[in-house]
Amino acid sequence: MQKILIANRGEIASRIIKTCKQLNIQTVAVYSDADQDMPFVKEADAAFRIGESQVNRSYLVVDNILDVAKKEKVDGIHPGYGLLSENADFAKRVTEEGFTFIGPAHDIIEKMGDKVEARRVMQEASVPVVPGSDGGVGTIEDAKRVAQEIGYPVMLKASGGGGGIGMIRCENEQALVQSFDSTKNRAKAYFGKEEVFLEKCIENARHVEVQIFGDHHGNLVHLFERNCSVQRRNQKVIEESPSPALSQGTKEKMFTAAIQAGRAVNYTNAGTVEFIVDEEENFYFLEMNTRLQVEHPVTETVTGLDLVKWQLIVAGGEPLPLCRQEEIQNTGHAIEFRVYAEDPKTFYPSPGKLTELEWGEGEGEGVRIDSGYEKGNNVTPFYDPMISKCIIKGNDRQDALNKAKVFFAGVTIEGVKTNVSLFRDIIEDSGFIEGSYTTKWLQDFLTANRT
């Protein structure tokens, strides 16, 4: 491919452009009114306005994006993450219009985007899944029966859900009854289908995901795991690799299961198999993300590989750069912190102008900044308020934590509120330092520090 269009914005658009420059691939950016002064617009070889600031009037308008692609005669379209990245209809349109979709085939996206279908496929592939309903539950009576069988608490989930949207924990039958219709309605509004299903709620769980990569020649490998258990409202805040306080034996079993999952759908390009791990290190399939993840730099940092480069190579029809599992090695320890423009106490978005944006010491020496903003840019209320991802690498986890303390002590961001102060507190906390934290840990930490 000689020229690609990036159907995304901000940090991930800049990230893709960086690799394309190294490969001498021309880039075409698309932008909304709110983003016209953003760095990615200037970094691309060409940039075109595709609509108003609202996401449904710009970045989600498929026809506008494809019109630019045709005009510029691009070879491929990279969807980044979020927005249209897991929209099977978009991937299909891209292919039908004669462009290469830089990601998995649309039928894989569609199959894995349906959580009920994904569960069925994984069960057939002998990948462990969380105990739950066989398919969707259509009525509250069906839901109550399944919940009685698997035991409370249960998670009520939208079949088409993702990103923590369309799921709710139900402690008892009363909560299930109260939430059933509203969850179905929300699923219909957000994902276009009202099907919901039930899963057993795994208590004190950890969220661990495995990066996989496949090509069109039958090669499929894993690139180790990432721990994503530091979450708030099911949204990841900190990710790290290797996963602390998890035995190597369990990791190896997860790698095998992730490959089985990929083989079950003939997976190509970058993907992530997400697992829930209980207190006894039993693990269960949660979902498959059919795209590049926000936290992909964690894997890049410990493997020394460029995942965007791999995506472009695979999309171009070539084999994986490393086809044999033993060729892929990981060294050191990496931790990613997502810096958001938000109030660190209420977590409400904090839009405004970045009047100061200074990163701490160490960039280039174990510190990587993937940012979508520069000093003087406006963080608008129209999109996710992530300013940057700060990835810290150490020889081991303790070294990475020490470097993170030095780094965040020197970060200065003014004009908006951010969660940097939260990171300064977290990396000093014994519960985080110890490493066996669960998905409940951050909420408990926040509650304890507010009293």
Side-chain angles (χ1 to χ4, degrees):
M1 285 185 284
Q2 301 299 310
K3 191 179 193 180
I4 71 163
L5 182 147
I6 301 164
N8 217 296
R9 61 174 299 280
E11 174 272 324
I12 188 57
S14 290
R15 164 71 191 89
I16 295 165
I17 290 167
K18 182 178 179 181
T19 288
C20 286
K21 285 183 185 296
Q22 294 170 355
L23 299 176
N24 293 316
I25 296 173
Q26 286 189 296
T27 53
V28 177
V30 292
Y31 63 89
S32 70
D33 288 340
D35 280 346
Q36 61 182 350
D37 296 321
M38 291 283 279
F40 78 93
V41 176
K42 294 175 281 187
E43 292 161 355
D45 294 298
F48 296 87
R49 177 188 180 273
I50 53 165
E52 298 171 43
S53 299
Q54 295 89 338
V55 71
N56 62 338
R57 296 182 183 178
S58 52
Y59 296 109
L60 297 183
V61 183
V62 172
D63 287 340
N64 290 1
I65 293 170
L66 291 176
D67 284 347
V68 174
K70 292 171 192 172
K71 176 185 175 184
E72 286 297 294
K73 297 182 172 58
V74 303
D75 301 307
I77 297 179
H78 197 308
Y81 55 68
L83 298 178
L84 293 168
S85 64
E86 291 183 284
N87 185 310
D89 290 337
F90 175 62
K92 187 176 182 181
R93 280 284 306 278
V94 168
T95 305
E96 288 174 346
E97 295 286 354
F99 305 112
T100 298
F101 182 76
I102 303 170
H106 66 86
D107 58 331
I108 298 175
I109 297 173
E110 184 173 29
K111 185 175 287 189
M112 291 298 99
D114 183 328
K115 301 300 184 286
V116 170
E117 174 67 6
R119 276 177 59 88
R120 184 191 65 75
V121 171
M122 293 308 140
Q123 285 175 304
E124 289 182 358
S126 299
V127 176
V129 301
V130 179
S133 56
D134 291 327
V137 286
T139 67
I140 186 59
E141 285 72 27
D142 289 339
K144 289 194 289 189
R145 177 181 52 77
V146 172
Q148 194 68 38
E149 290 173 1
I150 62 178
Y152 290 96
V154 298
M155 297 297 292
L156 180 62
K157 296 184 174 184
S159 178
I165 300 171
M167 57 188 286
I168 189 165
R169 176 187 169 114
C170 301
E171 295 287 348
N172 49 43
E173 187 174 292
Q174 181 183 3
L176 179 61
V177 171
Q178 288 176 342
S179 303
F180 190 75
D181 286 337
S182 62
T183 303
K184 288 182 71 173
N185 292 338
R186 196 170 191 213
K188 179 73 172 175
Y190 273 88
F191 311 112
K193 56 189 296 188
E194 65 174 15
E195 186 178 45
V196 295
F197 66 104
L198 284 178
E199 283 184 345
K200 174 72 176 171
C201 184
I202 306 298
E203 300 285 15
N204 299 316
R206 282 178 280 176
H207 186 154
V208 180
E209 61 189 27
V210 178
Q211 177 74 57
I212 62 170
F213 232 107
D215 62 22
H216 297 282
H217 302 269
N219 300 305
L220 184 69
V221 296
H222 72 78
L223 282 75
F224 306 100
E225 91 291 351
R226 299 181 290 254
N227 188 311
C228 306
S229 302
V230 180
Q231 300 179 7
R232 190 182 64 79
R233 296 177 185 166
N234 302 307
Q235 290 285 353
K236 301 164 187 173
V237 179
I238 297 173
E239 303 95 356
E240 61 180 307
S241 184
S243 180
L246 186 65
S247 70
Q248 188 60 35
T250 296
K251 291 178 187 179
E252 294 293 343
K253 291 175 184 176
M254 293 176 79
F255 299 155
T256 299
I259 293 295
Q260 287 174 232
R263 293 258 180 237
V265 292
N266 297 314
Y267 199 87
T268 55
N269 219 281
T272 306
V273 184
E274 305 204 351
F275 296 101
I276 284 292
V277 186
D278 70 15
E279 293 175 290
E280 281 76 47
E281 293 197 1
N282 299 303
F283 61 89
Y284 307 95
F285 173 82
L286 185 62
E287 64 180 351
M288 182 185 286
N289 291 123
T290 52
R291 56 172 166 79
L292 194 67
Q293 292 277 74
V294 178
E295 57 273 18
H296 77 273
V298 174
T299 294
E300 292 185 324
T301 301
V302 294
T303 62
L305 303 171
D306 183 333
L307 270 62
V308 174
K309 179 180 178 180
W310 276 38
Q311 284 192 293
L312 294 165
I313 288 170
V314 168
E318 297 178 47
L320 291 173
L322 301 175
C323 298
R324 293 184 294 122
Q325 190 61 57
E326 57 269 24
E327 294 179 290
I328 303 167
Q329 302 294 320
N330 62 340
T331 59
H333 194 99
I335 309 176
E336 176 179 286
F337 301 85
R338 301 189 189 186
V339 176
Y340 286 101
E342 64 183 15
D343 187 301
K345 290 188 169 61
T346 65
F347 296 103
Y348 290 140
S350 175
K353 185 176 182 178
L354 291 165
T355 56
E356 195 63 58
L357 185 60
E358 290 292 333
W359 299 112
E361 294 180 23
E363 188 171 4
E365 296 182 20
V367 176
R368 168 177 164 178
I369 310 293
D370 281 20
S371 182
Y373 291 87
E374 297 172 336
K375 178 180 175 180
N377 288 154
N378 285 302
V379 180
T380 73
F382 298 106
Y383 319 113
D384 180 272
M386 187 174 73
I387 298 172
S388 74
K389 302 178 306 199
C390 302
I391 305 95
I392 318 291
K393 183 180 184 182
N395 296 322
D396 52 32
R397 188 168 187 265
Q398 188 57 57
D399 187 35
L401 287 172
N402 291 340
K403 287 180 178 177
K405 291 174 188 177
V406 173
F407 172 75
F408 280 112
V411 172
T412 303
I413 303 175
E414 295 177 2
V416 299
K417 296 178 181 178
T418 75
N419 59 346
V420 167
S421 60
L422 174 63
F423 293 139
R424 289 175 182 148
D425 292 339
I426 285 176
I427 56 184
E428 295 283 358
D429 184 80
S430 59
F432 181 73
I433 293 170
E434 190 258 337
S436 60
Y437 53 83
T438 70
T439 53
K440 280 180 57 188
W441 178 84
L442 181 56
Q443 192 55 53
D444 291 343
F445 172 82
L446 293 169
T447 301
N449 282 272
R450 281 176 183 156
T451 56

